[in-house]
């Protein structure tokens, strides 16, 4: 994938308080109108024209842009690998990173990066916008300015944030706890099972008790993904034919099964047999609740006890986005046997043990 690098003279290097790398992938954020009124990606070399207040942040900013910005609906693991490689290659030269990304799959990408960047000790802040930066009422300006401020924030020489996050509409969230919940309002994301890491008002109030505590270490990039994974969402009246078709996909390695409430499923003999057969054939089945809040408690009710007995793995309070990307990476990096051992453990703060 072709990338282009742009230096922004927001501050002289000798006067900059931090060096920040912006990675622009595409999305609504960076759109502007051409002379014919058609939305096109704008040139980041001219970002100071849109955001002159960048000069007030006293940052040395570099932008790495996808040469062909993409809609986030087209994001795939290959793009995650590119983002991870850019961060790894520029890690020692920068104090923080801001990733501009379309909102539709931002939670998937943020989750993936949280597992890919092992030993991360610097902020990686994802943000975007619901309206293009060229729009008068755009949320792009505030989202970017505050993301840069958070990415550069330090205390006693150490970064305040040491993890992959999403900043949107005045709230900082853990990336692998986030979900997109709104398409028509500015508060596009929330993390129902985890408190915000910070709230931005007149000043930014950090919730230090909720933030990752990461000792300084070298960064390791994990980037092998296994994509033969499926989602099985249960619903009243689901047929055996549908379940069988999904569980019989050739080469299937894992299934994220979205169940009811605290991990409950219908007590249908055929469903138990289909799941059991798949598990015996080596397919990992991870139980994730359809509820935006709460957690899977396999065995609490009769309707989930059988799942536990046949080897379905409880996903605790993971989001579907975190579950999918975690399985992809664990199987790709370590193989199914080791992935089965690790998937139920908290690797990057994605679940509550």
């Amino acid at each position: 994938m072709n990338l282009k690098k742009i230096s922004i003279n927001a501050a002289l290097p000798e006067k900059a308080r931090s060096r920040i790398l912006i990675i622009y992938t595409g999305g609504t954020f960076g759109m502007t109108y051409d002379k014919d009124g058609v939305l096109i990606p704008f040139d980041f070399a001219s970002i100071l024209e849109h955001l002159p207040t960048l000069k007030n942040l006293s940052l040395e900013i570099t932008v790495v842009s996808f040469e062909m910005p993409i809609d986030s609906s087209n994001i795939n693991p290959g793009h995650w690998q590119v983002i991870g490689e850019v961060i790894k290659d520029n890690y020692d030269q920068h104090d923080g990173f801001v990733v501009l990304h379309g909102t539709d799959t931002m939670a998937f990408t943020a989750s993936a990066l949280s597992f890919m960047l092992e030993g991360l000790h610097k902020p990686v802040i994802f943000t975007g916008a619901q309206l293009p930066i060229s729009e008068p009422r755009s949320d792009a300006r505030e989202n970017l300015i505050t993301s840069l401020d958070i990415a550069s924030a330090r205390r006693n020489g150490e970064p305040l944030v040491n993890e992959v996050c999403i900043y949107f509409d005045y709230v900082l969230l853990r990336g692998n706890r986030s979900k997109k919940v709104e398409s028509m309002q500015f508060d596009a994301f929330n993390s129902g099972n985890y408190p915000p890491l910070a709230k931005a008002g007149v000043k930014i109030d950090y919730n230090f008790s909720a933030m990752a505590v990461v000792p300084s270490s070298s960064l390791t990039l994990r980037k092998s993904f296994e994509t033969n994974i499926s989602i099985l969402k249960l619903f009243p009246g689901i047929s055996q034919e549908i379940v069988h078709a999904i569980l019989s996909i050739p080469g299937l390695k894992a299934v994220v099964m979205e169940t009811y409430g605290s991990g409950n499923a219908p007590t249908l003999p055929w469903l138990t047999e289909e799941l059991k057969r798949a598990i015996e054939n080596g397919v990992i089945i991870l139980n994730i609740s359809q509820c935006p809040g709460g957690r899977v408690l396999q065995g609490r009710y009769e309707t989930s006890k059988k799942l536990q007995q046949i080897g379905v793995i409880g996903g605790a309070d993971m989001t579907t986005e975190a579950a999918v990307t975690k399985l992809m990476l664990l199987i790709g990096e370590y193989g199914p046997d080791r992935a089965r051992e690790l998937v139920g453990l908290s690797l990057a703060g994605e679940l509550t043990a």
Side-chain angles (χ1 to χ4, degrees):
M1 181 180 296
N2 293 327
L3 302 171
K4 57 182 179 180
K5 198 168 187 177
I6 305 164
S7 293
I8 298 173
N9 295 319
L12 295 174
E14 63 272 16
K15 294 185 178 180
R17 59 186 176 89
S18 286
R19 293 167 295 175
I20 304 298
L21 182 72
I22 296 175
I23 303 170
Y24 175 57
T25 67
T28 300
F29 182 101
M31 305 300 287
T32 189
Y33 292 99
D34 67 9
K35 58 183 177 58
D36 298 317
V38 177
L39 277 172
I40 58 171
F42 87 102
D43 184 359
F44 260 88
S46 64
I47 193 171
L48 288 177
E49 297 175 15
H50 293 273
L51 284 170
T53 53
L54 281 179
K55 295 180 179 179
N56 299 332
L57 294 178
S58 299
L59 301 177
E60 182 182 341
I61 298 173
T62 302
V63 178
V64 172
S65 173
F66 285 12
E67 190 166 356
M68 295 294 293
I70 59 172
D71 188 291
S72 73
S73 296
N74 290 319
I75 284 281
N76 62 52
H79 300 111
W80 301 341
Q81 291 169 337
V82 171
I83 297 169
E85 287 165 356
V86 170
I87 293 172
K88 180 69 166 64
D89 292 345
N90 291 274
Y91 191 71
D92 293 335
Q93 297 79 41
H94 293 85
D95 301 304
F97 303 85
V98 172
V99 183
L100 299 179
H101 192 291
T103 58
D104 285 348
T105 58
M106 188 185 292
F108 282 96
T109 305
S111 294
L113 265 292
S114 76
F115 303 124
M116 294 170 65
L117 299 171
E118 188 177 294
L120 179 68
H121 189 64
K122 294 180 181 181
V124 176
I125 312 299
F126 278 78
T127 195
Q130 296 287 64
L131 285 174
I133 195 170
S134 56
E135 291 281 352
R137 295 181 53 250
S138 174
D139 53 334
R141 300 176 187 84
E142 195 283 326
N143 284 346
L144 177 57
I145 290 293
T146 305
S147 293
L148 289 168
D149 202 11
I150 292 170
S152 61
R154 304 176 74 80
R155 183 172 60 179
N156 300 325
E158 293 293 317
L160 287 185
V161 177
N162 291 299
E163 56 183 294
V164 179
C165 302
I166 290 177
Y167 177 78
F168 223 89
D169 194 46
Y170 304 102
V171 178
L172 183 71
L173 306 172
R174 177 165 291 169
N176 58 32
R177 293 282 193 155
S178 303
K179 298 182 74 70
K180 184 175 181 181
V181 297
E182 180 60 64
S183 63
M184 296 301 292
Q185 303 297 326
F186 288 137
D187 54 344
F189 294 89
N190 73 22
S191 55
N193 282 319
Y194 205 76
L197 305 185
K199 294 183 179 180
V202 174
K203 64 184 184 70
I204 301 174
D205 290 319
Y206 290 95
N207 182 5
F208 291 108
S209 64
M211 295 166 68
V213 179
V214 183
S216 183
S217 62
S218 59
L219 180 71
T220 299
L221 177 63
R222 307 285 182 188
K223 59 178 183 177
S224 296
F225 288 93
E226 171 58 68
T227 58
N228 286 325
I229 289 171
S230 183
I231 296 174
L232 171 60
K233 188 183 182 83
L234 300 183
F235 58 89
I238 191 170
S239 70
Q240 183 173 0
E241 289 75 16
I242 289 174
V243 173
H244 180 77
I246 292 174
L247 297 180
S248 301
I249 295 171
L252 183 68
K253 296 296 190 298
V255 172
V256 174
M257 183 170 64
E258 292 190 350
T259 55
Y260 309 128
S262 56
N264 303 311
T267 54
L268 299 167
W270 65 258
L271 177 59
T272 303
E273 284 304 311
E274 292 284 355
L275 295 172
K276 182 180 178 182
R277 187 181 302 113
I279 293 169
E280 290 172 347
N281 289 333
V283 177
I284 299 171
I285 299 183
L286 183 63
N287 186 352
I288 299 294
S289 176
Q290 296 178 18
C291 298
R295 60 184 289 126
V296 167
L297 296 168
Q298 284 195 154
R300 183 179 184 183
Y301 297 100
E302 185 65 29
T303 46
S304 67
K305 186 174 294 184
K306 197 67 176 178
L307 299 179
Q308 189 175 42
Q309 292 170 349
I310 64 174
V312 173
I313 299 171
D317 53 357
M318 270 191 289
T319 64
T320 295
E321 292 86 343
V324 168
T325 55
K326 185 178 182 180
L327 280 169
M328 282 184 175
L329 190 71
L330 288 179
I331 297 173
E333 284 283 328
Y334 306 110
D337 291 340
R338 184 62 175 147
R340 191 175 286 105
E341 297 172 0
L342 293 174
V343 71
L345 304 178
S346 179
L347 303 181
E350 74 280 6
L351 63 83
T352 306

